[in-house]
Amino acid sequence: MTDLYQSQRAMRQMRRQAMQRGVVAILDVGSSKIACLVLRFDGTGRLSEDNSIGSLAGQSGFRVIGAATTRSRGVQFGEITAMQETERAIRTAVQAAQKMAEVRVDHVIACFSGANPRSYGLDALVDLEGQVVTENEIARVLAACEVPEYGAGREVLHAQPVNFALDNRSGLSDPRGQMGQTLAVDMHMLTVDASTVQNLVRCIQRCDLELAGIASSAYASGFSALVEDEQELGAACIDMGGGSTSISVFMKKHMIYADAVRMGGDHITSDISMGLGVPTANAERIKTFHGGVHATGADDREMIDIHADTGDWEHDRRTVSRAELIGIMRPRVEEILEEVRARLDAAGFDSLPSQQIVLTGGSSQIMGLDGLASRILGQQVRLGRPLRVHGLPQSATGPGFASAVGLSLFAAHPQDEWWDFEMPVDRNASGTLRRAVKWFRDNW
Amino acid sequence: MRALIERFTKPRSGRTDPAPSRLTYRFQRWMLTPGIRFGVRFGIPFCLVFVAGAAFMADEGRRDQLQVLVNDIRASIEERPEFMVNVMAIDGAGTSVSEDIREVVPIDFPVSSFDLDLTQIRDEITGLDPVESADVRIRPGGVLQVTVEERTPAVVWRSREGLALLDDTGVHVAELGARNLHPNLPLVAGEGADMAIEEALRLFAVAKPLGPRIRGLVRIGERRWDLVLDRGQRIMLPSKKPVPALERVIAVSEVRDLLERDVAAVDMRLAARPTVRMTQAAVEDWWRIRQLNAGGQ
């Protein structure tokens, strides 16, 4: 536990250095594309002249000065499977973004979607030593959380205190300085496979970059695709990516649950590829241009050319009706959404006060997905696009960039994690001596 | 045949990705480092130019060649007919002054206007005694135009060195051979007279009623004036406020014919005690008359 604490703190330190230098890169390592944004931080955002909050709600402390995407290679289900290939893809994206930004980037904040994220709810309750809640008390209550046995080979990615309760008052976000007897905390902890994280870290290091932070893409896309009310009142963000579909549930502006379904747009493409007998690239093109999930009468008559390159005239000139294509795509989309529904049910999403569901990610651009999703997931479904940030090119404003944009918001305004608080004094190595002194003083 | 055409018309679908090699990537990052960027953009070109220039200049022959080339270009521009000055025109000066000017400014025309130092020429001309101010410029058409304002002589100063003409500020204008060359200019004498010419001119103006009787003013002790009339008469004026004193003498003289009498000097040096000195003969006459009168009693 302590070494994780140290490594996460080291990353925070790195992030602070990057802020001082003013330039940081955002890297979204996805299964179908790798996106790299270069952010320039130029102080905190100014309010507009009439002191009203502008359209960016104070998120204007940074500016995107470089953006690049490249086709991802060697990534499956959001996990790195071929490191050399992934490293080359990251290099491509970073180089292009650097070229656009005309500045050298040394620090990278990365996110990924796979690695079997698992959520744990932790809580703890301590009696306060004094009457007042101090920093040390908060550290003590956080340290008192009973960490479940999450298994070997797993690592904690996020551990955020979601809620504090002082005596019988709950729902406090910052109890420091308040008076009370007992302090309780609810914490959300997200663990992922350690090997995946290590692979990603290794890849980034091989590109001569320093890792200044790492996040789950479920968290990042929820951060950008959900509007403020939804984050406050409770909502689920479903990021339908290429290799995996990640789910995050937000409430009171904190992520309280995250999960991932290991299915995504690539599976739809491979279904089309298998069903029609075309290469994956063609299947991807057909899916993008003609795909859908609701067949109508007109779709029976709309014939789609399947281009092929075999040299066989008959084989290259095949056509398929759009209804057939939809017939291939729909079961897979339904399967994904049902799996998402199952995960949400298991997490107890029904008991939340608000049932809002936001679909984002590249695969959410399938025509008619919102209609299908509202049938499976419930009535309150909308398609979400990421927040607009300064300098973001038009080509990077689509739902596929939700996690990249969310990660830039995360880079600018990170939420408090467990390792942002000080270690409690009696846990520290240097505290041992102090404890001995205290023991002596108490006994003599 | 078909396949061949297709290959030329359509790019292959499985195109290789444009991933940079490790070396290219590192090189690009290196080139984006601010210090290196600056060095490549400014430092290296500067060094190259400097080294090339130094290598070229290292040989003395080439250095001289370059110098000659520069001089040639310079001369070819300076000697264009547009910049040549052919004559000097002098306005506002008499013949003798013009000759003096041509003497002090010895220019052998034609000369390029770049070689003329107009300020120095002007200073030299202004340095001449009879010139009050001078205006030197180069007129279009290659003419060096000198416009001169001469000093006008106001008084004749007789000193140990001889006769000299002074203007109304006391500046020396010219030597004068003989007094009768300027018979209508008033005469001053004495050392330091040129320092108080303005006062002298005021006194001459006041003394106008005395007409042709005035011989001149003499500066005494470099501090006060004596007005000398014919028959050796003198009006000794105070060093302070001489003009009212002279006015007073003239007024008395007009009423009482003071100066018509046999008076040697009128001493006005003390305003409270004007004194009249009679001539020797007058005094003896006066004594004789008093004796006659006394004897008569």
Side-chain angles (χ1 to χ4, degrees), chain A residues 71 73 87-88 91-92 94-95 98-99 102-106 206-209 309, chain B residues 2 6 10 13 15 17-22 24-26 28-30 32-33 37:
Chain A
R71 192 175 64 109
R73 282 158 286 167
E87 186 199 325
R88 278 158 55 83
R91 275 210 307 258
T92 314
V94 170
Q95 189 185 37
Q98 273 181 349
K99 194 170 181 182
E102 287 188 335
V103 70
R104 178 188 163 144
V105 193
D106 287 327
R206 282 169 65 94
C207 295
D208 305 335
L209 298 165
D309 218 2
Chain B
R2 266 190 55 82
E6 286 217 344
K10 230 165 62 178
S13 58
R15 200 178 43 187
D17 274 305
S21 71
R22 224 177 156 70
T24 321
Y25 174 74
R26 286 221 170 121
Q28 198 221 10
R29 279 172 66 78
W30 197 62
L32 281 173
T33 312
R37 249 172 113 79

Side-chain angles (χ1 to χ4, degrees), chain A residues 148-162:
Chain A
E149 198 55 48
Y150 48 73
R154 305 275 295 172
E155 205 167 305
V156 179
L157 192 61
H158 293 286
Q160 294 164 333
V162 174

